[in-house]
Amino acid sequence: TALAQQQFNEEQLQLLEKEKEKDNTPHITNLNEDEALSGVIHHLIQIGENIAGRKDKDSDPAICLSGLSIQKSHAIFIREGDNVILRPGVVGAKTKVNGQSLNGDRTLMHKDRILFGSNHMYVYYDAASKEN
C-alpha cells in the first residue's frame, strides 16, 4: 500500500541520515569473534563528556554497557573538537586500550581497540581520519 511504502521510505531516509552522521562524528563500534556480529553497535561521541557505564534507575549513561565487571561510570569519553580523550570513570574500572590498562587520560587514535570490563570490545573511529 501507499502508506507502507511511505513508512519504508522514511525509515530508509532516517538510516541514511544516521550513516552520514556516523561518518562525520567520532564513534566506537563493537568487535566480536563472530564476524556477523561485529560492527552492529555504534556509539557516537558527542562534544563534551560521554559516560560509558552500567544503566540503572539512577543513571543513564550515553554509552550503556552491562555485565558484572562494568561500573556505573566505567569510563568517560571527552570530546573537544576533533580530539577524543578516554578517562577512567572510577578507580578500579577495568578498561584497556590496545591491550594496555587505562590508568589516566589517553588521547584516542584512529582504530584504537578498547576493552571495557571483560568482554565489551570496541574499535574507535576518528571521523577526521582519511583512513578507513
Side-chain angles (χ1 to χ4, degrees):
T1 67
L3 181 59
Q5 183 63 42
Q6 181 182 1
Q7 286 177 333
F8 176 79
N9 290 341
E10 288 174 4
E11 289 171 2
Q12 292 300 311
L13 184 59
Q14 287 176 346
L15 286 173
L16 286 171
E17 288 173 0
K18 284 184 181 181
E19 272 302 307
K20 194 175 195 179
E21 184 179 9
K22 187 180 71 146
D23 290 344
N24 296 315
T25 305
H27 61 280
I28 58 173
T29 299
N30 74 308
L31 292 176
N32 193 294
E33 292 175 359
D34 184 344
E35 194 173 311
L37 298 175
S38 285
V40 175
I41 301 169
H42 307 281
H43 296 288
L44 302 180
I45 310 297
Q46 303 299 337
I47 297 288
E49 289 191 356
N50 300 261
I51 295 174
R54 191 176 68 242
K55 181 179 180 175
D56 64 14
K57 63 181 175 122
D58 299 326
S59 66
D60 190 14
I63 299 169
C64 292
L65 305 170
S66 61
L68 296 175
S69 60
I70 301 297
Q71 307 296 321
K72 275 188 195 181
S73 178
H74 197 87
I76 303 168
F77 290 88
I78 303 161
R79 179 176 164 208
E80 297 171 348
D82 289 335
N83 293 327
V84 175
I85 295 168
L86 184 59
R87 171 182 296 161
V90 294
V91 175
K94 183 179 171 187
T95 303
K96 292 186 176 184
V97 178
N98 299 328
Q100 298 178 334
S101 293
L102 181 69
N103 298 316
D105 288 7
R106 178 166 179 156
T107 300
L108 295 177
M109 305 301 289
H110 187 60
K111 293 195 176 179
D112 275 350
R113 283 0 188 212
I114 305 167
L115 177 65
F116 300 104
S118 302
N119 57 353
H120 290 280
M121 178 69 83
Y122 286 84
V123 61
Y124 169 74
Y125 288 99
D126 181 354
S129 176
K130 300 297 182 218
E131 180 188 340
N132 288 327

